[in-house]
Amino acid sequence: MTNHLKYWHAGALTIYLTACSAMPLTPVSEKSVDVRHPESGYREVLAGDTLYSIAWESGRDYREVARWNDISPPYLIKPGQKLRLFPPPYMRRDRQTAQISQPRTSRQSATAPTRQSGKDTYTVEKLEPPAITRPRSGSATKLTWSWPAEGKLLETFTLNGSNKGIDISGTRGQPVLAANAGKVVYQGGGLRGYGQLIIMQHDADFLSAYAHCDKIYVKEGDVIQRGQKIADMGSSGADTVMLHFEIRYRGVPVDPQDYLPRK
């Protein structure tokens, strides 16, 4: 994503604006939440989190995170709960120590927890990222996508991950539309760098995200039709008015232009 971030710091605390639930076509009110901490082997659930937002933030498939933590649909989580972000470790016979055991790789380093006498301690381990599967362009889905907003492309998707989606320029208050039919699984401002964010689930494999929104007209759990207005374009978490739009397949960012109609 383009580095369009501005933060206001007060000591070690960084404040974000996040949206509360509201009826459709009524702007969502805002409140502040703490910025998320860098990823480690575990992630503590904070108020406003959903399983989908935690999986999105850590680049995981929400189904994998659910499986690793023995969470069944509808994937309810609660503040203070600790979620694994890697597959569970093999348990030692003495049940006193559990350590994540994965093939080492130079590609990714993370802080992996070990359990001793019922308390979590942390050691640095190089952990292999979970296996991912990329679709072949738009052929892997029968979903019909449409552009989420009108405007000029400021930046496009890059394979190296520097921009996990596309940035569309526009004017404040311009409509942001659902690119596909689906269900809102996250709405808020708790993911660093996204500002006011909406995440939608379209089927078992595909999710989409709409970042830097101004006013939001949907809430978690709402079922949305393709082309329905879900927000106004804004600049939350950015230094210019724009929409940052992402599509993810099984937790992996893919190029939205492989799915959107050609202009």
Side-chain angles (χ1 to χ4, degrees):
M1 186 190 305
T2 311
N3 187 18
H4 295 299
L5 309 180
K6 281 188 176 179
Y7 303 111
W8 290 261
H9 294 278
L13 181 64
T14 304
I15 302 297
Y16 276 94
L17 295 178
T18 187
C20 300
S21 299
M23 295 299 291
L25 299 184
T26 302
V28 177
S29 61
E30 297 180 337
K31 64 180 181 179
S32 62
V33 296
D34 293 340
V35 174
R36 300 325 192 222
H37 298 292
E39 180 184 328
S40 66
Y42 278 78
R43 165 73 149 75
E44 183 173 345
V45 177
L46 302 179
D49 283 338
T50 69
L51 182 77
Y52 296 89
S53 68
I54 290 176
W56 189 282
E57 182 180 43
S58 60
R60 306 290 190 261
D61 185 337
Y62 69 94
R63 292 167 298 187
E64 293 290 329
V65 177
R67 182 159 50 251
W68 298 337
N69 293 277
D70 296 322
I71 301 174
S72 302
Y75 304 127
L76 299 179
I77 58 178
K78 59 184 180 181
Q81 184 176 354
K82 287 186 178 181
L83 300 183
R84 297 180 185 274
L85 299 180
F86 290 90
Y90 294 103
M91 303 299 295
R92 295 181 179 178
R93 287 185 178 180
D94 59 8
R95 297 185 180 181
Q96 297 298 317
T97 304
Q99 182 174 2
I100 291 180
S101 177
Q102 295 288 338
R104 296 196 173 192
T105 175
S106 59
R107 290 183 297 165
Q108 183 169 346
S109 178
T111 302
T114 62
R115 186 172 296 278
Q116 297 179 346
S117 303
K119 296 182 180 180
D120 285 339
T121 59
Y122 293 87
T123 58
V124 175
E125 294 286 343
K126 291 182 178 179
L127 302 173
E128 173 128 14
I132 56 177
T133 303
R134 287 186 180 274
R136 295 191 303 272
S137 298
S139 62
T141 177
K142 296 180 180 179
L143 299 173
T144 301
W145 299 83
S146 59
W147 284 83
E150 294 292 333
K152 180 181 178 181
L153 280 179
L154 296 174
E155 284 207 24
T156 57
F157 177 86
T158 53
L159 288 175
N160 63 11
S162 60
N163 191 25
K164 296 181 177 65
I166 57 175
D167 297 340
I168 303 172
S169 67
T171 58
R172 188 175 304 278
Q174 179 179 328
V176 174
L177 311 177
N180 217 318
K183 181 180 179 180
V184 177
V185 293
Y186 177 79
Q187 176 266 305
L191 273 70
R192 180 168 47 193
Y194 285 92
Q196 294 300 313
L197 174 68
I198 299 169
I199 299 177
M200 290 183 59
Q201 180 184 16
H202 304 290
D203 64 10
D205 294 321
F206 282 88
L207 290 90
S208 63
Y210 311 76
H212 307 308
C213 297
D214 187 11
K215 297 175 181 177
I216 294 177
Y217 300 99
V218 297
K219 62 183 183 298
E220 290 169 16
D222 285 351
V223 176
I224 307 299
Q225 300 302 311
R226 181 166 62 93
Q228 181 176 335
K229 181 178 178 180
I230 58 176
D232 290 340
M233 193 180 293
S235 59
S236 58
D239 60 9
T240 187
V241 174
M242 68 174 185
L243 173 67
H244 176 77
F245 175 68
E246 293 184 21
I247 296 176
R248 294 198 184 184
Y249 173 77
R250 298 181 181 177
V252 180
V254 294
D255 189 349
Q257 292 189 89
D258 286 341
Y259 301 87
L260 298 172
R262 294 189 179 277
K263 287 189 174 183

